[in-house]
Amino acid sequence: MPALACAARTCLYNRDEYCSKGDIKVGGEDAKDIDDTCCTSFVEGAEESVRNSVGSPSEHIDVACDACTCMYNESRICDADRIHIAGAAASNKEDTACGTFECK
């Protein structure tokens, strides 16, 4: 289970760069670089009252991964020690990216 650092601060599940969803999924089946990936679990919602109702944030999180060309993808599960999700000003999942992606 990778340690997650998430810069997508506009995501409903983001709390101090941790995720309160419990698991996430990285998209980008034919990815060749970082910009071809995204966090498909991203949901815009920065209102504090709503964020407080979605669970407790966690540093370590299960990461499903459709970026089969990534060197950390093991049978569609992220095998990296650490994963970084980029997208500080994201308003949709396409504005995010897996900053840990490395093409095989």
Side-chain angles (χ1 to χ4, degrees):
M1 188 177 307
L4 174 73
C6 181
R9 295 188 139 304
T10 56
C11 181
L12 172 68
Y13 303 111
N14 187 309
R15 290 222 204 119
D16 299 321
E17 296 198 358
Y18 294 134
C19 186
S20 61
K21 184 175 183 302
D23 61 352
I24 63 168
K25 186 172 187 178
V26 172
E29 188 136 7
D30 299 318
K32 293 184 179 35
D33 61 36
I34 289 169
D35 292 333
D36 296 333
T37 66
C38 68
C39 178
T40 63
S41 302
F42 175 90
V43 175
E44 186 176 26
E47 293 180 33
E48 194 63 32
S49 61
V50 176
R51 283 184 175 195
N52 288 334
S53 67
V54 294
S56 299
S58 179
E59 177 182 7
H60 293 275
I61 191 166
D62 289 321
V63 180
C65 183
D66 284 342
C68 296
T69 57
C70 181
M71 68 180 289
Y72 299 110
N73 187 310
E74 292 292 329
S75 301
R76 295 191 179 262
I77 301 292
C78 181
D79 193 37
D81 291 334
R82 297 192 67 71
I83 182 172
H84 176 261
I85 300 296
S91 61
N92 58 60
K93 67 182 180 185
E94 288 80 16
D95 293 339
T96 65
C98 177
T100 307
F101 175 87
E102 287 188 43
C103 198
K104 293 180 187 175

